[in-house]
Amino acid sequence: MGLIVQKYGGSSVADAEGLKRVANRIVATKKAGHQVVVVVSAMGDTTDELIDLANQVTPMPTGRELDMLLTAGERISMALLAMAIGNLGHEAMSFTGSQAGVITDSTHGKARIIDVAPGRIREALEGGHIAIVAGFQGVSQDTNDVTTLGRGGSDTTAVALAAALDADVCEIYTDVDGVYSADPRVVPSARKLTTVTYEEMLELAASGAKVLHLRCVEYARRYNLPIHVRSSFSNLEGTWIVNDHPEGAEDMEQAIISGIAHDKSEAKITIVGVPDRTGVAARIFQSIADSDINIDMIVQNVSAAATGLTDISFTLPKSDGAEATALLKDIQGEIGFASLLYDDQVGKLSLVGAGMRSHPGVTATFFACLADAGLNIEMISTSEIRISVIVRDTDLEKGVKAAHTAFELDTTNEAVVYGGTGR
Ligand code: ADP
Ligand code: ASP
Ligand code: MG
């Protein structure tokens, strides 16, 4: 008998039918002799709808109240799922993140898990229950307020619980059959990957492939916990996220590139006419870091010798754009830069693959295919196994398709998208 943690995303529990379908799957796992802990997301697009509602009553909801509101979404689905399982003659108990022992810091909207103390979950399992846990939420160690882990954070709840309970596997059930070589909503000919390494999945998740939350992959790697990403709408084997591709894995044999990710959630800020002095960049980025804003790509031009001035561009989440711009305006006088440009019509396109290390020419092929598709590259950044570029957001999907074809990733089987609105 094993302990399995299963996570069901919003599209898997979008309505009563979905809840009942998922309840049947959970009961089948329990009947197969396993202990089951289930992490569930809010139904369908509930989280987006709650955010829209908050924005209708105020342009600036406070973090504390927004978290209070959003955590209600997962509370609804956890209770309904427990009831649906009860109706099948099995005992289930639901728990909020706080009751499940998910302890976080106090950064509302993107709290980090500090500790998981799942005493009540263990008790429920020992009592023969199926434990249902609300995803995406915890409780602050300092303030005792409820917190959320950031959009898509239920994946992280699942992996953190699986690690704390020493589960055999963490299964992430979603609306596609696994991790594909590109978002199947954009590239229907994308190929399903049999295995993806933690390292590759980290890069894909950080580059916008929202099929897994970035922190869930970091967590799984730290605890060496295998993740199985699969569909809640089919019984097909999905994708395994593991340390290494198995010997002779067919995916690795041919593919230099494992996947292509795209992201429309970032904006670009350019600080024009920055004095080229020691400590200026440190001052700029410190002021942004102090507000817990994560920046992504940074480009600084060579300073023009005649003027001693340079431009610095960087990308950041659009949701932090207004705050970052205000912070920079506050230090404009002190630093003496000329002006600020804010552009939220950008998209990021990333190629990820461990095979890149040993294959020169990947960058050339990538840039050539973008040029052939008529795309202009605005920023570039690389890691050992990733190349990312910033392009116009309206060009992004064209770029994903062009790169997918250029690296010979297309298959003839059309990927199935079972549900969800892609929102
Ligand atoms: P859930 O509600 O189950 O958490 P998400 O919407 O967060 O589901 O994540 C699943 C979606 O991720 C898919 O429907 C797909 O559109 C998107 N996605 C983006 N990149 C990929 C990829 N490389 N492989 C699979 N799905 C991807
Ligand atoms: N419901 C939350 C969201 O939509 C968390 C999650 O689904 O993982 O972001
Ligand atoms: Mg998700």
Side-chain angles (χ1 to χ4, degrees):
M1 186 169 105
L3 198 164
I4 298 185
V5 175
Q6 302 187 326
K7 177 259 171 177
Y8 292 91
S11 48
S12 298
V13 292
D15 51 20
E17 277 317 303
L19 284 159
K20 289 200 266 186
R21 191 174 43 82
V22 163
N24 272 306
R25 286 197 87 112
I26 296 168
V27 165
T29 312
K30 171 89 177 151
K31 277 191 179 156
H34 302 291
Q35 290 187 311
V36 193
V37 176
V38 175
V39 173
V40 68
S41 293
M43 295 169 69
D45 289 333
T46 301
T47 308
D48 290 294
E49 287 155 15
L50 292 173
I51 293 173
D52 290 348
L53 205 50
N55 288 329
Q56 283 170 40
V57 296
T58 167
M60 293 275 246
T62 63
R64 181 184 186 279
E65 298 312 323
L66 197 57
D67 278 358
M68 210 56 138
L69 178 70
L70 297 188
T71 49
E74 270 67 13
R75 234 173 135 134
I76 294 171
S77 46
M78 73 178 195
L80 288 170
L81 188 54
M83 291 176 203
I85 293 171
N87 189 47
L88 297 174
H90 286 259
E91 291 190 84
M93 268 176 98
S94 65
F95 298 91
T96 63
S98 164
Q99 289 173 323
V102 181
I103 319 283
T104 71
D105 64 15
S106 54
T107 321
H108 287 293
K110 48 184 165 191
R112 294 191 77 92
I113 297 178
I114 298 171
D115 193 15
V116 183
R120 295 196 64 184
I121 305 300
R122 280 213 183 85
E123 270 172 39
L125 293 176
E126 279 156 20
H129 286 81
I130 294 166
I132 314 285
V133 179
F136 163 70
Q137 55 179 272
V139 60
S140 158
Q141 191 177 37
D142 306 325
T143 61
N144 269 329
D145 283 327
V146 292
T147 52
T148 62
L149 309 179
R151 297 307 306 273
S154 297
D155 300 339
T156 300
T157 307
V159 169
L161 270 173
L165 293 164
D166 204 16
D168 297 293
V169 59
C170 182
E171 298 181 327
I172 304 280
Y173 285 92
T174 184
D175 53 16
V176 290
D177 281 313
V179 178
Y180 284 79
S181 54
D183 185 341
R185 283 178 207 271
V186 174
V187 185
S189 58
R191 72 177 60 217
K192 187 171 89 183
L193 306 170
T194 314
T195 52
V196 178
T197 65
Y198 294 124
E199 188 189 31
E200 290 167 330
M201 197 62 229
L202 278 174
E203 295 278 10
L204 284 169
S207 307
K210 69 169 184 160
V211 62
L212 285 180
H213 193 230
L214 174 60
R215 255 179 285 138
C216 114
V217 189
E218 287 171 355
Y219 231 100
R221 177 164 73 165
R222 190 171 339 131
Y223 292 94
N224 204 12
L225 181 87
I227 303 181
H228 186 189
V229 182
R230 55 192 308 196
S231 168
S232 74
F233 298 81
S234 79
N235 285 315
L236 296 174
E237 178 84 2
T239 302
W240 285 88
I241 317 296
V242 288
N243 228 337
D244 269 313
H245 291 286
E247 279 298 305
E250 151 214 357
D251 285 332
M252 273 322 285
E253 287 298 298
Q254 358 120 327
I256 300 166
I257 301 303
S258 299
I260 300 175
H262 69 282
D263 189 358
K264 284 191 185 169
S265 69
E266 292 191 353
K268 177 172 83 168
I269 291 183
T270 304
I271 315 173
V272 182
V274 183
D276 194 6
R277 280 195 317 265
T278 308
V280 167
R283 178 74 186 94
I284 289 172
F285 290 109
Q286 190 59 52
S287 83
I288 291 176
D290 287 345
S291 289
D292 272 320
I293 296 174
N294 284 320
I295 54 156
D296 183 21
M297 291 166 130
I298 306 176
V299 170
Q300 176 178 330
N301 287 341
V302 181
S303 84
T307 60
L309 298 177
T310 181
D311 295 343
I312 299 179
S313 294
F314 62 94
T315 61
L316 77 175
K318 276 182 191 162
S319 51
D320 290 327
E323 192 179 353
T325 314
L327 287 167
L328 291 171
K329 284 204 176 120
D330 284 347
I331 56 169
Q332 181 166 12
E334 176 195 331
I335 290 183
F337 61 81
S339 61
L340 277 182
L341 303 174
Y342 181 71
D343 181 353
D344 62 3
Q345 314 282 300
V346 296
K348 185 171 71 170
L349 172 50
S350 306
L351 279 189
V352 174
M356 225 180 253
R357 282 199 184 98
S358 48
H359 286 81
V362 172
T363 312
T365 307
F366 183 33
F367 291 178
C369 84
L370 296 181
D372 289 345
L375 269 65
N376 184 37
I377 299 173
E378 300 180 22
M379 282 169 98
I380 302 168
S381 91
T382 59
S383 83
E384 251 199 318
I385 63 161
R386 176 186 50 80
I387 309 170
S388 301
V389 296
I390 294 289
V391 296
R392 286 292 95 200
D393 59 355
T394 43
D395 282 341
L396 195 54
E397 296 192 355
K398 198 164 132 198
V400 174
K401 289 183 182 133
H404 200 265
T405 303
F407 286 94
E408 298 175 8
L409 295 171
D410 296 304
T411 60
T412 45
N413 316 337
E414 185 154 323
V416 185
V417 178
Y418 296 91
T421 57
R423 192 170 170 183

